[in-house]
Amino acid sequence: MMIKNMSKGFHSITGTFLLQPHGKAIARAADIIRRGGLVAFPTETVYGLGAAATDAAAVRRIFQVKGRPADNPLIVHVSAKEQLYVVAASLPEGAAELVDRFWPGPLSLVLPRSSAIPDEVSAGLPTVAVRMPSHPVALRLIARAGVPIAAPSANRSGRPSPTMASHVLADLAGRIDAVIDGGPCPVGVESTVLDLTGAVPLILRPGAITAEAIAKCLGRAVEIAGKYSGKPPSPGMKYRHYSPRAPLLLITGPPARREKLIAALKRHYQRRNLKVGLLMPDQSVDPAVAARRLYRALRAFDQQGADLILAQEIPAVGLGAAVMNRLAKAATRIIKA
Ligand code: AMP
Ligand code: MG
């Protein structure tokens, strides 16, 4: 990989600028967005790959460089609560309360889509997902660009989401215009996605804002999309996701039996000279810490050349629910001990 020094301290890595999270560089990144380019940027959840949400051609390039199926809609990011009215055609019951309570933060709301947002963003759906991130670099970039930014996670489709600028470069160097390096993402897993366009508020993807917190704010029950049959409730949910290169076996069941099975599997594969990676063997770890480390750990196994990854269930409380959701999607097989 060639790294060359550019004027004004900008660095280009095979055509992708690595920008520092300061005024001048953010202004330059905003300029790239305004002109229809693609910039990866840090948010509190994971790194996003941003394009002007009102620019259909730029949004199509996001799908191209990620290799993302065209029927998997993007989340639009805003820098102020008022900007919601550019993106959404109307606010269903409860939307205003949730925005007041949880924005800026890791909660994406699925709402009726405004005509300012092209079909490409929402994969043709009449709805749009929108959120206001809390990361200061993301907020400055969106505000400076002066336009809402459509941004999926900044990884090649199917790979673990990036939580560091180096992850973005590993997947997308040379394919995007720039990445702003804001250091590691504090939450580490993607936002909660909540659909407010149906009869009942429906969590399409668990994240840091929990079902309990949402129900409390709304004063009513919310449903969680999970074990569905037939048509997936959210288009992106049918694809395998977040996957390292090595096969991942997710072991669930009672703790003692899990531990025993993992030890047996580890011995079995090591005897066959396979390099076995163990994910999160420590059950006492805070689920927020597990979330923060999850994608970095999956990518590290790739780098270490693991042949097989054994992952263990953690309690689905707080961010543990989001971690288990991502692990289940990353898993080649789920085995009940
Ligand atoms: P990503 O940006 O990679 O985290 O993926 C965004 C996810 O948000 C998609 O995979 C969908 O599951 C969900 N999403 C985005 N827009 C919509 C929408 N209009 N309706 C339902 N789900 C959506
Ligand atoms: Mg993604």
Side-chain angles (χ1 to χ4, degrees):
M1 191 179 286
M2 186 181 68
I3 301 183
K4 72 177 186 262
N5 268 312
M6 304 293 287
S7 58
K8 296 183 195 155
F10 297 124
H11 296 82
S12 166
I13 297 173
T14 59
T16 296
F17 287 107
L18 179 58
L19 304 176
Q20 293 309 304
H22 311 127
K24 257 192 182 162
I26 291 176
R28 180 173 178 151
D31 221 51
I32 295 172
I33 296 275
R34 269 197 305 272
R35 292 176 200 200
L38 303 187
V39 176
F41 60 98
T43 78
E44 72 277 27
T45 59
V46 301
Y47 275 74
L49 177 59
T54 49
D55 182 338
V59 169
R60 279 196 295 271
R61 276 190 60 216
I62 290 183
F63 286 88
Q64 271 165 25
V65 304
K66 279 187 57 104
R68 183 177 177 103
D71 64 352
N72 190 0
L74 310 180
I75 295 170
V76 176
H77 294 69
V78 297
S79 58
K81 292 178 184 177
E82 308 78 66
Q83 217 174 13
L84 180 55
Y85 298 97
V86 178
V87 179
S90 61
L91 294 195
E93 200 189 322
E97 289 78 5
L98 291 166
V99 163
D100 273 346
R101 171 75 182 81
F102 296 112
W103 281 15
L107 177 65
S108 299
L109 299 176
V110 175
L111 304 169
R113 174 163 57 104
S114 98
S115 56
I117 303 299
D119 276 355
E120 280 84 350
V121 169
S122 285
L125 294 170
T127 56
V128 63
V130 56
R131 88 171 181 106
M132 178 178 171
S134 65
H135 198 294
V137 173
L139 290 173
R140 266 186 280 161
L141 174 68
I142 303 161
R144 187 85 198 214
V147 63
I149 293 183
S153 51
N155 51 281
R156 291 277 293 175
S157 202
R159 298 268 302 139
S161 297
T163 56
M164 306 206 290
S166 61
H167 299 164
V168 177
L169 290 171
D171 279 16
L172 299 174
R175 304 175 70 88
I176 61 175
D177 298 297
V179 52
I180 306 174
D181 186 354
C185 300
V187 176
V189 292
E190 303 81 348
S191 60
T192 305
V193 177
L194 178 71
D195 187 352
L196 289 177
T197 65
V200 183
L202 177 67
I203 292 182
L204 298 175
R205 178 174 73 186
I209 309 296
T210 61
E212 298 75 41
I214 292 167
K216 192 169 169 210
C217 174
L218 291 175
R220 63 184 292 200
V222 300
E223 279 182 19
I224 303 171
K227 295 179 186 72
Y228 54 84
S229 51
K231 198 169 180 278
S234 179
M237 292 171 69
K238 68 182 179 220
Y239 301 107
R240 186 165 176 231
H241 261 122
Y242 319 119
S243 302
R245 289 182 223 286
L248 186 152
L249 306 185
L250 174 58
I251 315 300
T252 65
R257 292 175 54 165
R258 250 171 16 212
E259 303 267 355
K260 229 174 127 184
L261 179 59
I262 286 181
L265 286 169
K266 187 173 156 219
R267 274 196 310 274
H268 173 83
Y269 288 112
Q270 282 178 339
R271 269 203 299 269
R272 278 156 188 74
N273 278 327
L274 293 180
K275 212 166 167 185
V276 178
L278 288 183
L279 185 62
M280 281 186 273
D282 179 4
Q283 290 298 293
S284 61
V285 72
D286 177 347
V289 176
R292 194 178 311 141
R293 292 177 183 164
L294 176 67
Y295 291 132
R296 200 189 330 174
L298 292 180
R299 282 179 181 264
F301 289 128
D302 282 346
Q303 283 212 313
Q304 294 154 11
D307 297 306
L308 181 80
I309 301 166
L310 298 176
Q312 191 178 173
E313 180 179 7
I314 64 165
V317 286
L319 264 163
V323 170
M324 286 311 295
N325 167 271
R326 306 314 190 269
L327 275 179
K329 288 186 182 215
T332 325
R333 277 182 67 192
I334 302 174
I335 302 170
K336 196 158 189 303

